[in-house]
């Protein structure tokens, strides 16, 4: 849709400079998109994690992030319908801006849902990763359905982004249902009693704000705040944080930009379906399977996990070759 249709402008009036720029944008489209997506995601997650605010509950921040995403998708559908052949460079940068905004919203969502999951028993934390990767499977299926329904890249873009908009609305409805879920409300109230920061919790009564009902913990830990607290937590968790970094680094070096450039040597499957299937669908299906298995089989243990994470770096030269 983007590379072969929207940016593939062959108008004779297009200047040499514009043609060179478009060639660059088409060749490196996924790399540009990756930077525009991941950078604001990380920044907003950091701000949401470290920035203390008394404005907006957890539910409000999640809802506003969904609404912002919906607005961006409506804009994207409008761009899919519009004829942008007269301003392809402007279309490219407008697409990058929408990617920045939507992934900033995703950054807020991901950190908010991690906070919500932290109120639940520990075994539920993996659900945030599982849900994130399962959503990738849904997106890949949307892509395949869009391609199957229409041979036109123009129509594929409209169908694909419309399905995404419907999914955002469904998630927004489910978010409101979550706040009335008995299981979630029960553990949210327990979280209030334990003295957690209840400003971002809809289910905490006002009188519980800033109060601690559990004094059985380590007194030193209870009085930590600011950089001292973060330094303490980092000191306890840096081994696993390094494992997460290496795992994500090796993955993002390969997926999607490098994997999406791989082409079949034979005609085992139509080229239209090759990248959506073997890159996007397979990646998300098997990462979801990996998340599910890790919930059941927790081997190797924390001590030797680094070895296996470091071995994943070998995938980079493997896929390059």
């Amino acid at each position: 849709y983007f590379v072969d249709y929207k940016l593939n402008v062959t108008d004779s009036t297009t200047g040499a400079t514009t043609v060179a720029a478009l060639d660059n944008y088409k060749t490196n489209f996924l790399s540009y998109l990756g930077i525009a997506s991941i950078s604001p995601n990380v920044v907003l997650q950091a701000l949401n994690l470290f920035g203390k605010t008394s404005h907006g509950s957890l539910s409000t921040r999640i809802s506003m992030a969904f609404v912002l995403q919906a607005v961006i998708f409506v804009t994207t559908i409008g761009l899919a319908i519009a004829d942008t052949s007269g301003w392809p460079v402007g279309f490219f940068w407008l697409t990058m801006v929408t990617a920045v905004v939507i992934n900033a919203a995703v950054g807020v969502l991901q950190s908010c849902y991690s906070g919500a999951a932290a109120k639940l028993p520990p075994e539920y934390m993996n659900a945030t990763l599982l849900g994130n990767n399962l959503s990738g499977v849904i997106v890949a299926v949307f892509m395949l359905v869009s391609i199957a329904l229409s041979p036109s890249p123009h129509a594929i873009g409209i169908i694909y982004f419309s399905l995404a908009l419907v999914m955002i609305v469904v998630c927004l409805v489910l978010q409101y249902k979550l706040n009335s879920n008995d299981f979630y409300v029960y553990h949210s109230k327990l979280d209030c009693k334990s003295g957690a920061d209840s400003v971002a919790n809809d289910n905490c009564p006002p009188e519980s704000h800033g109060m601690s009902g559990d004094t059985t913990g380590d007194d030193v830990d209870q009085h930590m705040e600011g950089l001292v607290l973060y330094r303490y937590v980092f000191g306890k968790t840096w081994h696993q944080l390094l494992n997460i970094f290496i795992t994500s680094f090796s993955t993002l070096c390969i997926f999607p930009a490098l994997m999406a450039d791989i082409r079949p040597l034979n005609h085992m499957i139509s080229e239209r379906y090759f990248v959506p299937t073997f890159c996007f669908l397979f990646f998300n299906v098997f990462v979801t399977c990996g998340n599910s298995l890790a919930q059941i089989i927790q081997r190797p243990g924390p001590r030797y996990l680094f070895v296996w994470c470091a071995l994943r770096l070998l995938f980079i030269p493997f896929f390059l070759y």
Side-chain angles (χ1 to χ4, degrees), residues 158-238:
I158 296 172
I159 294 169
Y160 181 66
F161 295 124
S162 298
L163 289 171
L165 180 60
V166 170
M167 196 66 189
I168 292 293
V169 173
V170 170
C171 290
L172 188 57
V173 172
L174 291 176
Q175 166 58 28
Y176 283 108
K177 295 288 289 183
L178 175 66
N179 289 326
S180 59
N181 179 275
D182 292 339
F183 179 78
Y184 180 72
V185 170
Y186 171 76
H187 283 282
S188 293
K189 289 180 178 177
L190 285 182
D191 193 57
C192 297
K193 292 178 182 179
S194 69
D197 182 7
S198 56
V199 170
N201 191 344
D202 295 325
N203 298 309
C204 288
E207 60 271 16
S208 71
H209 288 195
M211 295 176 60
S212 176
D214 181 7
T215 57
T216 59
D218 187 344
D219 290 338
V220 176
D221 293 355
Q222 288 183 10
H223 292 91
M224 285 184 181
E225 60 181 19
L227 290 177
V228 176
L229 175 60
Y230 292 123
R231 193 182 303 118
Y232 174 80
V233 173
F234 182 80
K236 294 289 186 180
T237 60
W238 73 269

Side-chain angles (χ1 to χ4, degrees), residues 45-321:
Q45 281 203 57
L47 289 175
N48 201 45
L49 176 64
F50 298 112
K52 295 282 186 177
T53 177
S54 59
H55 301 288
S57 66
L58 194 67
S59 176
T60 301
R61 276 180 276 173
I62 290 172
S63 299
M64 291 304 296
F66 275 132
V67 170
L68 182 58
Q69 284 182 309
V71 170
I72 292 297
F73 272 116
V74 169
T75 304
T76 306
I77 293 169
L79 289 172
I81 296 171
D83 179 8
T84 60
S85 59
W87 46 287
V89 173
F91 169 79
F92 172 82
W93 287 111
L94 187 56
T95 299
M96 292 301 114
V97 169
T98 59
V100 168
V101 175
I102 203 167
N103 282 280
V106 169
V108 173
L109 279 174
Q110 288 179 337
S111 52
C112 282
Y113 275 121
S114 295
K119 303 174 189 296
L120 306 178
E123 59 267 24
Y124 287 88
M125 181 56 76
N126 193 48
T128 58
L129 287 174
L130 188 60
N132 197 43
N133 294 318
L134 184 60
S135 71
V137 176
I138 295 171
V139 169
V141 171
F142 281 176
M143 188 185 300
L144 290 167
V145 169
S146 302
I147 293 170
L149 288 177
S150 175
S152 164
H154 177 251
I156 287 172
I158 296 172
I159 294 169
Y160 181 66
F161 295 124
S162 298
L163 289 171
L165 180 60
V166 170
M167 196 66 189
I168 292 293
V169 173
V170 170
C171 290
L172 188 57
V173 172
L174 291 176
Q175 166 58 28
Y176 283 108
K177 295 288 289 183
L178 175 66
N179 289 326
S180 59
N181 179 275
D182 292 339
F183 179 78
Y184 180 72
V185 170
Y186 171 76
H187 283 282
S188 293
K189 289 180 178 177
L190 285 182
D191 193 57
C192 297
K193 292 178 182 179
S194 69
D197 182 7
S198 56
V199 170
N201 191 344
D202 295 325
N203 298 309
C204 288
E207 60 271 16
S208 71
H209 288 195
M211 295 176 60
S212 176
D214 181 7
T215 57
T216 59
D218 187 344
D219 290 338
V220 176
D221 293 355
Q222 288 183 10
H223 292 91
M224 285 184 181
E225 60 181 19
L227 290 177
V228 176
L229 175 60
Y230 292 123
R231 193 182 303 118
Y232 174 80
V233 173
F234 182 80
K236 294 289 186 180
T237 60
W238 73 269
H239 296 90
Q240 302 312 322
L241 296 177
L242 180 61
N243 289 337
I244 293 170
F245 176 83
I246 293 173
T247 300
S248 298
F249 178 84
S250 56
T251 296
L252 294 172
C253 281
I254 301 163
F255 178 85
L258 184 57
M259 285 183 67
D261 274 343
I262 296 173
R263 293 292 181 269
L265 291 177
N266 54 38
H267 298 288
M268 60 184 294
I269 185 174
S270 170
E271 194 159 325
R272 305 180 71 220
Y273 294 99
F274 183 82
V275 172
T277 302
F278 287 94
C279 178
F280 294 101
L281 181 63
F282 272 32
F283 175 88
N284 287 293
V285 165
F286 288 109
V287 78
T288 302
C289 292
N291 276 141
S292 303
L293 284 173
Q295 189 76 17
I296 303 167
I297 306 172
Q298 298 185 352
R299 294 288 185 275
R303 184 176 180 182
Y304 298 106
L305 193 58
F306 173 79
V307 176
W308 298 97
C309 292
L311 284 173
R312 292 184 89 254
L313 294 171
L314 294 175
F315 280 128
I316 298 173
F318 173 81
F319 277 99
L320 283 171
Y321 280 115

